[in-house]
Amino acid sequence: MKINTNYTQLKESYLFAGIAKRVKEFSESNPDASIIKMGIGDVTRPLCTAVVDAMKNAADEMGKAETFRGYGPEQGYDFLREKIKDYYAENSVELALDEVFISDGAKSDLGNILDIFDKDNTVLIPDPVYPVYVDTNIMDGRKIVFADASAENGFLPMPDDSVDADIIYICSPNNPTGAAYNREQLTEWVNYANSHSAVILYDAAYESFISDSALPKSIYEIKGAETCAIEFCSLSKTAGFTGTRCGYTIVPKALVSDGVSLNKLWLRRQTTKFNGVSYVVQKGAEAIFTAEGRKQIKENIEYYRRNAKVITDTLDSLGIWYTGGKNSPYVWMECPNNMNSWDFFDYLLKNAGVVGTPGEGFGNNGKNFFRLTAFSTYENTQEAMRRLTEMLKK
């Protein structure tokens, strides 16, 4: 018996497990310390009432013989897929129903989609980046090439024709930097992918935070994207589904490689390895797209946007450079005095009781940067920024 030795090439622990360990050690040594967590991207607002009511009704249905449902369709129930199809149509993106696949979250599909690609493919990933992109490819033993994101390019790297990639990861608005591509920039990426016969894995998990009309919410708003891109979206940040688990993936039928439809490959993969998202959860997800659900969701999004403004206003007042916060729940700040990000993590925790995420955990280019999230409560966000200001002005 042999193990997959690619796993031994991974870092010993996942980024956020390492952060939790440091916070735990600090708490045990300082039991009276008041700690405000603004590091992990978990939400604090509860599920909206429209979602909860829909899930309660669905649970009641599951308790009656005449409305009970067993196995559902692996690609999702039509009632939810239709709602997602209509949602895309609002941005002039026309989808076929069988191009929409319901999942238990973008994170799962971003890793699982690699099943339909050869392990000899070269993968282009920005640095810094959401760790799952890197780790899942290391697990498969693929060659990874990094695209440098930096303050100089606004943490939005552009294509380099001298680099030949087969799979390209793009997250916009970006996790961790909060930076977002405009239409012209995404057009360059789509043209690059089509000319190199590459596939873009487009993570749109934070599209609901976009307020600037110059920024596309879907890559399919870009001409030619249907022949080179797969889009992933999550309801975790849109509607607080971090613990409820539901998202969706779009695989266009026009996306063909070596004469093979990637849509058909993904369907075959899902029907073999996935039994679908529960009926109760999908009914809750359907409620997000109703008039009342969207009204309630918008209120939660605005709540987090207000938190982001508290953070960016504070950094502006302190003269600290950052990206994000405007069309994203993440703010990517430069560490004061050119500090290393892990040193700043420890300094901020010790002197202000505030937890963020060291940029180095997202890649080498993040070693002097730090991520804060807008997903805390408004009161805690205000207090955290007060403490940060007081600490830096000493």
Side-chain angles (χ1 to χ4, degrees), residues 361-374:
F362 298 103
N364 186 60
N365 288 355
K367 64 183 179 182
N368 298 120
F369 291 86
F370 201 75
R371 192 191 76 172
L372 295 172
T373 84

Side-chain angles (χ1 to χ4, degrees), residues 243-272:
T244 307
R245 307 309 305 150
C246 194
Y248 49 91
T249 294
I250 311 299
V251 187
K253 287 185 285 187
L255 182 51
V256 176
S257 180
D258 291 332
V260 179
S261 165
L262 270 62
N263 179 283
K264 288 184 177 179
L265 288 185
W266 183 240
L267 176 63
R268 186 67 177 86
R269 188 270 174 203
Q270 291 299 80
T271 53
T272 301

Side-chain angles (χ1 to χ4, degrees), residues 29-41:
S29 301
N30 302 272
D32 296 327
S34 169
I35 298 174
I36 299 175
K37 297 180 180 180
M38 299 181 67
I40 195 167

Side-chain angles (χ1 to χ4, degrees), residues 53 327-328 356:
D53 289 344
N327 295 285
S328 166

